[in-house]
């Protein structure tokens, strides 16, 4: 059994305002992230993502940073982190992130019209973060070449679909009766 699948099957589940949330090293940094799990995931991302002619990797803070940093180091593609803090720099673009459990403002810097980007994130659940991010990237005039998420929580509506984008995923899961259930061990795309 691969490490990602095994680690998800062992993940504890918590409830936050009626939302069932699995706690995992990739999505939460708890429990600790072992290098062999990160390495396995990064290799799978590089194999699955469309990387040809990508100028930048774009990831929302915070849990996409470790994944995107590792992919950037392996591919030599620069990394842009979409932050929850406003800096007021020239060209900064604000977006509203609405997830299954929170609402935040986020800010994109260093992405410009014509940039060809790979959007990379840890979990696709409600699609709120990625729908907002793809909308901001469209407004900037960036060319979204691919979207990859490690884990897809495959129950409920997905705002990314409504935004007209498909994400490739490494593994798809649901949470049933307090346990993670693997729906597709190879993910989407």
């Amino acid at each position: 059994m691969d490490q990602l699948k095994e680690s998800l099957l062992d993940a504890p589940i918590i409830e936050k305002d009626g939302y069932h949330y699995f706690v995992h090293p990739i999505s939460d940094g708890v429990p600790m992230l072992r290098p062999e799990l990160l390495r396995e995931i990064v290799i799978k991302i590089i194999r699955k993502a469309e990387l040809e002619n990508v100028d930048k990797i774009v990831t929302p803070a915070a849990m996409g940073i470790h994944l995107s940093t590792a992919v950037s180091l392996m591919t030599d593609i620069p990394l842009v982190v979409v932050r929850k803090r406003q800096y007021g720099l020239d060209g900064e673009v604000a977006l509203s992130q609405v997830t299954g459990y929170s609402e935040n403002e986020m800010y994109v810097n260093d992405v410009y019209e014509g940039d060809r980007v790979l959007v990379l994130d840890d979990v696709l659940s409600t699609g709120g973060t990625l729908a907002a991010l793809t909308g901001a990237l469209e407004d900037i005039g960036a060319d979204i070449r691919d979207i990859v998420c490690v884990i897809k929580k495959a129950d409920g509506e997905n705002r990314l679909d409504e935004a007209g984008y498909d994400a490739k995923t490494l593994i798809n899961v649901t949470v049933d009766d307090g346990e993670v259930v693997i729906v597709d061990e190879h993910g989407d795309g």
Side-chain angles (χ1 to χ4, degrees):
M1 181 181 304
D2 70 20
Q3 294 171 66
L4 178 57
K5 182 178 175 182
E6 186 175 322
S7 66
L8 280 162
L9 293 174
D10 292 337
I13 307 298
I14 62 169
E15 187 177 333
K16 203 174 190 180
D17 299 325
Y19 183 82
H20 290 89
Y21 187 87
F22 54 84
V23 181
H24 190 268
I26 291 301
S27 58
D28 303 288
V30 177
M32 76 175 146
L33 177 56
R34 298 199 171 274
E36 57 271 16
L37 176 59
L38 181 58
R39 188 178 306 109
E40 174 185 287
I41 290 168
V42 168
I43 290 167
K44 287 181 178 185
I45 289 169
I46 291 170
R47 288 180 178 161
K48 192 165 254 198
E50 176 58 51
L51 297 175
E52 189 173 335
N53 299 317
V54 168
D55 301 312
K56 296 174 182 174
I57 298 168
V58 177
T59 192
M63 294 313 300
I65 295 173
H66 56 293
L67 299 166
S68 299
T69 299
V71 172
S72 176
L73 287 168
M74 295 296 295
T75 61
D76 289 327
I77 300 171
L79 170 60
V80 173
V81 177
V82 179
R83 300 295 311 254
K84 293 179 182 175
R85 176 181 297 154
Q86 184 174 19
Y87 294 95
L89 300 173
D90 287 342
E92 186 171 74
V93 175
L95 60 105
S96 292
Q97 170 201 36
V98 180
T99 69
Y101 51 88
S102 70
E103 291 185 39
N104 296 298
E105 289 294 312
M106 297 185 81
Y107 303 90
V108 180
N109 284 285
D110 294 319
V111 177
Y112 305 101
E113 184 174 353
D115 282 349
R116 299 167 298 187
V117 301
L118 164 66
V119 177
L120 186 54
D121 204 3
D122 60 330
V123 176
L124 174 57
S125 185
T126 65
T129 300
L130 290 176
L133 179 53
T134 55
L137 292 170
E138 285 177 356
D139 290 346
I140 291 168
D143 177 7
I144 301 168
R145 303 294 264 199
D146 207 354
I147 301 169
V148 179
C149 298
V150 176
I151 304 163
K152 178 180 178 182
K153 190 173 176 198
D155 46 1
E157 75 176 70
N158 181 334
R159 289 186 214 126
L160 185 61
D161 291 339
E162 295 168 12
Y165 288 96
D166 294 318
K168 294 176 182 171
T169 59
L170 302 187
I171 193 166
N172 298 349
V173 303
T174 60
V175 177
D176 293 323
D177 295 326
E179 293 183 8
V180 173
V181 176
I182 308 296
V183 176
D184 185 342
E185 66 183 68
H186 302 291
D188 296 334

